[in-house]
Amino acid sequence: MPGLEDLYREIILDHYRNPRNRGELESPPAHRSEGFNPLCGDEIVVYLAADGTTIDDIRIAGQGCSISQSSASMMSAAVKGKTVAEARDLVKAFKAMMSIHEHELDGEDGAPEPAADTPELKLGDLEALRGVVKFPVRIKCATLSWNTLANVLNEIESASSRPQ
Amino acid sequence: MEARMSLDVARIKADFPILRRQVRDGRLVYLDSANTSQKPQAVIDAMAHYYENSNANVHRGTYLIAEEATAGLEGARAKVARFIGAASEREVIFTKNATEALNLVVKAWGRSHLKAGDPVVITELEHHANIVPWHQLVEEIGIELRWIPVGPDGHLDLTDLDRLLDGARVLSFAAMSNVLGTILPIDRLVAAARAVGAIAIIDASQYVPHVATDVQAWGADFVAFTGHKMCGPTGIGVLWGTEAILDDTPPFLTGGEMILNVTKEGFTVNELPWKFEAGTPPIAEAVGLGAAVDYLESVGMESIREHEVTLTGYALRTLTERLGDRLTIHGPAEPAERGGVLSFVVDDIHPHDLTQVFDQYGVCVRAGHHCAKPLMRSMGLGATARASLYLYNDEADVDALAAALESAADFFAF
């Protein structure tokens, strides 16, 4: 599609057509969080099974556009098997690629963070989503699943920091 | 088949400067008028002329340009009153938009007249502006909100209307759906409300710009609509109400302009319509709205409606022929029962992806839930793409949409 090559990269369309880790996990024991994009009605549900600090399994449910669906699919592949801390770094790195820093996000930590703090991580396939930045309306599509994942990670961390 | 066009659309297009704009090496194909309409040169000129020649505050200056500004505001009110068949200018209140007009009704009339348990009936196809204010009264007062369902054909399912209206204090509904284009059975609904002693409120935002409107013939208590969907500027809407119910409604926003007298002990409200217009009103916007009314009347509302019915029929046929089973258009199949609002989905392609591709062809179409989430949910839809037609659209615009749609459908095909 002329003019849209940067947005609809082949790998994005592949994840859209063949979404990875699609489905649900029984919750509990799995953690579950919903995310909404009020602009377009997209809904994402992230299910995450973590044994201790490692993400053993992740499933994505809900519906949305090719950008939100492929971003969720790539995200699920990227964080599966990672530790919660590593996943958190990926969230940060991905949002930085989307030109968003934590303090700009709804309901996020709040404290402004210097860009220099952003971890230099290999984003791999996720780099394909870099072109979304040129289409500002679609940034929310790309970050929907990541914000939802961040909520799940917060939940896991607050649960594990609770005295047993 | 050559559809009969009663409007000279080429001439009308020439009245709208933005339609001469080139985008992405092509012409602008604007199909989002249910969202906001484009503005004719006459409206743009009227507002510029006001600012260049008569800008002053209204109802207080003793000098020439202040008198001109006041005449501009009140002249626009008179034009709007005549345009919608109001009994007097006292019944026409300028607001910021239709949302503010509906909030005025719910919060000023509703809060002072409704009590816990009072049933308020709305429909599933309402815009959020006619839902959320009522939700607030559910929380604040404990009113009971009841919903008239929508059938799969896009029409209201009135099977249980009598039961739903039993004991109702309010029936509030859209004259035309902003998602499906459905024209509601206005006379029947108002009569049913009257029969149980409920007041009738009509959100006519999608209707007034497209169909000749006579609020007295409708016989409702309140009618809300907005200027920017009828070739007027943003920032001005209208609440029409009968004098009887407006007299019986306390002020909404308060401050300057809406008072006759203020003392340390209290205040006396102004007469209608200024009782509901606190603060400096949108004067240039009123002037622009008045020019929009003049423009629509010069074209003729009957001609506009006839053109849109014809063009909607052409669009329904063309899109169906070219996309076949891949395309689903929601809402009534019969053009005479609907406005030129076409909500559709193609295969499983998300509407956001469709409209992103449309943009490459200069085709402006909205994607999303169109501020009507309860309707979308009841129809089992997450989102739709919505093309909406107005007097300046023609068959070439519909053909451009069809070509963009084919291109998008091929691109995203599995």
Side-chain angles (χ1 to χ4, degrees), chain B residues 346-407:
Chain B
V346 178
D347 295 338
D348 289 329
I349 305 168
H350 193 278
H352 243 173
D353 291 318
L354 283 180
T355 56
Q356 186 86 59
V357 172
F358 293 174
D359 180 51
Q360 292 303 306
Y361 295 88
V363 175
C364 308
V365 165
R366 182 172 174 187
H369 53 62
H370 317 298
C371 301
K373 285 195 92 168
L375 173 67
M376 305 299 280
R377 192 167 284 273
S378 81
M379 296 184 64
L381 292 167
T384 64
R386 182 190 70 180
S388 48
L389 309 167
Y390 206 8
L391 73 166
Y392 38 68
N393 292 119
D394 58 12
E395 295 184 359
D397 294 335
V398 173
D399 294 342
L401 171 65
L405 201 43
E406 284 174 335
S407 170

Side-chain angles (χ1 to χ4, degrees), chain A residues 156-164:
Chain A
I156 291 173
E157 287 195 334
S158 66
S160 65
S161 67
R162 239 173 265 142
Q164 296 299 307

Side-chain angles (χ1 to χ4, degrees), chain A residues 104-121:
Chain A
E104 296 174 25
L105 292 167
D106 313 332
E108 287 289 319
D109 305 323
E113 261 171 89
D117 221 24
T118 308
E120 288 297 322
L121 284 183

Side-chain angles (χ1 to χ4, degrees), chain A residues 48-67:
Chain A
L48 203 148
D51 178 21
T53 58
T54 305
I55 297 170
D56 297 318
D57 204 357
I58 181 168
R59 289 284 187 276
I60 308 288
Q63 46 82 31
C65 67
S66 62
I67 302 302

